């Protein structure tokens, strides 16, 4: 007898279950490639356990996405004012089945366009304005995937999978209904997206740090689709047309606020301690330097077939060889990765310098390059990622209020950002002495009249 | 425009919005920045898309968060609607290094703050959507067509209210052209 469901063991969610047609997506060539893309690039050189891949993360995102979908669309979870803003048939049985499948498949496929080593080299080694999300979209709408979507019951529209997998920010040319916007929020939302929930839990588990843990069971149980209170008093002039558009978004019941705070804090700590760790960051830079010299034309191809042929394995084999051959393209960068001869921190973001000049890192990187030569200096500014700290909260008396107005903690969670200047180990001491003497002079902004 | 110049323009905008009694939540800053870019071609270069409450820029949201990290803007909770933004002493200091930028765009910033500062989110949403449809969707050539389009995009805005927003927008555009003719700001 054919099994109606299949399951795989997972260290975070215990079991991830899927049916036969969903298994076809998992078995597809683009999805299987994710077995060979590290979730955290070269972070395993700092946290040896961090060898997990995009493959299991994507399965985890699918598992969490269905849990959230089931909770927020359950009978009784949707209030009348929210139902008024959704398509009339959004949550009837047939429609619910269709959209649940879309959400699961969008979750599964949301990372399919990742380059080797995930985000490490994306910005500099793709054409300007081109991101892994463009490639994800091309894969979801490829002939290979269209055949699988078409074989589902009912057949899925690939454009629906694209919208829910990428959201309005990454697919600005597509029109999103309120419903589609909410479903995309379930996956990539900046407050409660399950992509974020899974990577925090999973990365925390594999790196061996506990900062990323939070009570996701409680949080998911309290998630609701709510209408965000209008900021700024739309009712001020008593004109009903002055009211702002009621916008539904993902929020929580009052009892979930502490779990939401824990998620936002977990994110802050994971960024501060793991994702923005200086040695991890500098290995990304050496990898980028290697790829810029090793790849034909110094860039990744944007052709989907070529992308699907390349994984971390091919790149790792290449930099291991290049490290041994002084004449190979990218030799110096490859050698630094293999021999742990990475650049060292000369400067990092700190409040004292940033009070003087928010671009202090930039000023120091420019001055250091001029003084010591650009080959021995690397600048790595990492601005904070899209973080919405605000979300609606339904109080026990049914009022919906802003989380920022309710929580004493959320507004005080700082944005996680860094700004590093790295230098070669051979000039580190000289560069430190130089910076100690010149720091104030370098970072004090020049007046525009001085610049002419 | 480099980042310090961008910080100068945005913090002065926040400062002037507050002086004109704006609530100064994110939506207010978003719409005022759109008007600065569209009416006066101030090169802050944020990409806008149609999103919640009309035109919205994720790039600008990122920049506001970055400016909070860099301690030139502060977000403070305000009951019951959420948060408002205000500038810090560091912002004033950065502005003092950028007198030419302020001389070049100061009047445009003041104009936009005056025209938008007293408006609530509903009014800003209608006005900004009217601006979007007028400037970005050229296939709608009459006010009636544009009003229908605004109603289509924002069904809670009646066609009459959309026509009102278009008339208000045209008045603002006229005043902006007058300012440009007499001052240092150019009109887009």
């Amino acid at each position: 007898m054919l099994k109606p469901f299949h399951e795989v063991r997972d260290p975070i969610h215990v079991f991830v279950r899927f049916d036969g047609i969903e298994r076809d997506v998992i078995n597809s060539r683009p999805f299987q490639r994710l077995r060979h893309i590290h979730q955290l690039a070269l972070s395993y050189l700092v946290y040896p356990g961090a060898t997990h891949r995009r493959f299991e993360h994507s399965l985890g995102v699918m598992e969490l996405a269905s849990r959230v979908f089931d909770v927020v669309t359950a009978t009784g979870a949707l209030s009348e004012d929210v139902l008024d803003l959704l398509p009339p048939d959004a949550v009837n049985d047939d429609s619910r089945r269709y959209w649940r499948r879309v959400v699961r498949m969008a979750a599964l496929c949301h990372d399919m366009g990742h380059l080797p080593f995930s985000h490490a080299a994306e910005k500099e080694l793709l054409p300007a304005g081109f991101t892994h999300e463009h490639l994800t979209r091309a894969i979801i709408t490829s002939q290979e995937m269209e055949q699988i979507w078409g074989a589902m019951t009912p057949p899925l529209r690939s454009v629906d999978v694209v919208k829910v997998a990428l959201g309005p920010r990454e697919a600005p040319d597509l029109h999103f209904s309120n419903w589609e916007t909410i479903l995309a929020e379930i996956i990539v939302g900046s407050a409660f997206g399950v992509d974020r929930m899974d990577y925090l839990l999973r990365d925390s588990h594999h790196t061996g740090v506990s900062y990323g843990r939070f009570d996701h069971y409680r949080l998911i149980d309290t998630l609701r689709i709510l209408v965000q209170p209008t900021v700024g008093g739309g009712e001020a002039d008593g004109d009903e047309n002055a009211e702002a558009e009621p916008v539904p978004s993902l929020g929580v019941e009052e009892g979930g606020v502490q779990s939401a705070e824990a998620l936002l804090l977990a994110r802050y700590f994971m960024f501060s301690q793991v994702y923005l760790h200086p040695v991890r960051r500098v290995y990304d830079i050496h990898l980028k330097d290697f790829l810029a010299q090793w790849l034909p034309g110094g860039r990744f191809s944007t052709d989907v077939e070529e992308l699907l042929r390349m994984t971390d394995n091919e790149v790792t084999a290449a930099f291991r060889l290049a490290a041994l051959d002084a004449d190979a393209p990218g030799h110096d960068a490859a050698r630094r990765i293999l021999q742990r001869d990475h650049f060292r921190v000369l400067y990092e973001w700190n409040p004292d310098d940033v009070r003087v000049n928010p671009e202090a890192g930039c000023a120091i990187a420019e001055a250091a390059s001029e003084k010591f030569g650009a080959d021995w200096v690397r600048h790595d500014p990492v601005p904070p990622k899209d973080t919405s700290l605000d979300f609606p909260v339904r109080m026990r008396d049914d009022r919906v209020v802003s989380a920022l107005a309710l929580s004493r903690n959320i507004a005080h969670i700082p944005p996680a950002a860094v700004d590093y200047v790295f230098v070669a180990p051979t000039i580190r001491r000289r560069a430190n002495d130089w910076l100690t003497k010149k720091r104030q002079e370098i970072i004090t902004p020049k007046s525009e009249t001085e610049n002419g | 425009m480099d980042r310090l110049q961008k910080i100068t323009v945005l913090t002065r905008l926040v400062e002037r919005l507050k002086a004109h009694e704006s609530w100064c939540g994110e939506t207010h800053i978003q719409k005022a920045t759109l008007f600065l870019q569209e009416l006066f071609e101030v090169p802050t270069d944020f990409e806008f898309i149609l999103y919640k409450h009309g035109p919205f820029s994720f790039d600008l949201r990122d920049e506001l968060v970055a400016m909070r990290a860099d301690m030139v803007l502060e977000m403070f909770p305000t009951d019951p609607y959420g948060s408002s933004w205000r500038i810090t002493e560091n912002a004033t200091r950065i502005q003092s290094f950028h007198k030419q930028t302020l001389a070049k765009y100061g009047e445009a910033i003041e104009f936009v703050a005056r025209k938008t500062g007293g408006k609530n989110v509903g009014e800003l949403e209608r006005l900004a959507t009217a601006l979007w449809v007028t400037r970005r969707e050229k296939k709608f050539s009459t006010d009636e067509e544009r009003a229908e389009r605004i109603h289509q995009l924002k069904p809670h805005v009646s066609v009459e209210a959309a026509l009102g927003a278009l008339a208000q927008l045209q008045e603002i555009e006229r005043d902006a052209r007058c300012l440009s003719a007499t001052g240092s700001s150019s009109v887009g």
Side-chain angles (χ1 to χ4, degrees), chain A residues 169 230-231 245 356 411 448, chain B residues 62 81 93 100-101 121 154:
Chain A
R169 180 174 194 165
T230 306
V231 181
E245 181 180 16
V356 176
E448 281 180 326
Chain B
D62 288 348
Y81 298 111
R93 197 167 165 282
Q100 287 179 357
T101 298
V121 170
K154 303 281 165 194

Side-chain angles (χ1 to χ4, degrees), chain B residues 122-155:
Chain B
E123 292 168 309
L124 288 172
E125 179 185 42
R126 281 183 293 169
L127 206 52
T129 308
L131 180 74
W132 181 273
V133 169
T134 302
R135 297 201 167 209
R136 303 283 181 96
E137 301 195 0
K138 300 281 188 193
K139 66 180 174 182
F140 304 105
S141 55
T142 67
D143 281 354
E144 288 69 28
E145 286 173 351
R146 289 180 189 130
E148 285 291 346
R149 174 63 175 157
I150 293 167
H151 176 61
Q152 184 193 12
L153 291 169
K154 303 281 165 194

Side-chain angles (χ1 to χ4, degrees), chain A residues 69-356:
Chain A
F69 181 90
D70 291 345
V71 167
V72 300
T73 63
T75 309
L78 290 161
S79 60
E80 287 299 319
D81 60 336
V82 169
L83 282 169
D84 285 347
L85 300 172
L86 302 180
D89 59 351
V91 285
N92 71 28
D93 286 351
D94 287 345
S95 180
R96 196 168 175 276
R97 262 194 300 276
Y98 174 82
W99 286 108
R100 188 176 193 274
R101 177 87 86 180
V102 169
V103 166
R104 283 174 60 80
M105 294 303 96
L108 197 60
C109 297
H110 80 285
D111 269 351
M112 281 210 300
H114 261 295
L115 299 171
F117 289 103
S118 296
H119 297 283
E122 180 173 317
K123 200 172 161 198
E124 289 80 0
L125 300 179
L126 280 174
F130 206 93
T131 63
H132 78 265
E133 283 90 357
H134 290 89
L135 294 161
T136 297
R137 184 168 170 173
I139 293 170
I140 291 172
T141 55
S142 67
Q143 195 58 38
E144 185 173 354
M145 299 308 295
E146 288 283 12
Q147 280 180 4
I148 304 177
W149 309 136
M152 290 184 168
T153 311
L156 298 195
R157 293 179 292 266
S158 59
V159 67
D160 291 339
V161 182
V162 166
K163 282 186 191 175
V164 177
L166 301 185
R169 180 174 194 165
E170 301 300 338
D173 57 317
L174 300 177
H175 173 73
F176 283 70
S177 66
N178 279 332
W179 178 238
E180 290 159 348
T181 303
I182 286 284
L183 297 182
E185 261 186 58
I186 289 177
I187 297 172
V188 291
S190 62
F192 301 120
V194 291
D195 176 29
R196 170 183 294 183
M197 286 191 207
D198 186 83
Y199 75 63
L200 290 174
L201 296 166
R202 194 172 298 277
D203 296 345
S204 184
H205 172 85
H206 287 280
T207 52
V209 302
S210 55
Y211 308 112
R213 292 182 196 151
F214 58 97
D215 188 352
H216 66 290
Y217 299 104
R218 175 69 177 154
L219 178 59
I220 289 174
D221 266 1
T222 58
L223 286 178
R224 297 289 181 272
I225 302 172
L226 300 172
V227 177
Q228 183 89 29
T230 306
V231 181
E235 75 286 1
D237 58 8
D239 170 5
E240 66 175 70
N241 281 317
E243 289 284 2
E245 181 180 16
V247 175
S249 56
L250 271 190
V252 294
E253 296 280 1
E254 188 179 353
V257 169
Q258 285 73 26
S259 312
E261 288 174 341
L263 164 70
L264 294 170
L265 277 167
R267 182 177 184 278
Y268 170 71
F269 289 129
M270 282 298 281
F271 268 86
S272 308
Q273 293 292 316
V274 176
Y275 306 135
L276 302 178
H277 187 289
V279 179
R280 175 205 141 102
R281 295 292 312 172
V282 82
Y283 275 129
D284 279 1
I285 290 175
H286 292 315
L287 178 65
K288 232 172 333 194
D289 288 347
F290 168 75
L291 287 165
Q293 294 176 64
W294 177 72
L295 288 168
R299 288 187 172 227
F300 281 111
S301 169
T302 54
D303 177 83
V304 170
E305 280 306 313
E306 285 190 40
L307 171 80
L308 292 179
R309 278 196 290 272
M310 195 181 293
T311 70
D312 292 9
N313 299 350
E314 287 72 25
V315 175
T316 304
F319 71 63
R320 287 181 64 81
L321 280 176
L324 300 171
D325 177 0
D327 296 325
H331 164 75
D332 186 61
R335 182 190 62 75
R336 289 189 187 281
I337 295 170
L338 267 285
Q339 297 176 4
R340 303 188 67 84
D341 187 26
H342 56 81
F343 279 26
R344 279 14 187 213
V345 174
L346 171 68
Y347 166 84
E348 67 181 301
W349 187 101
N350 66 83
D352 287 344
D353 289 346
V354 167
R355 264 187 214 107
V356 176

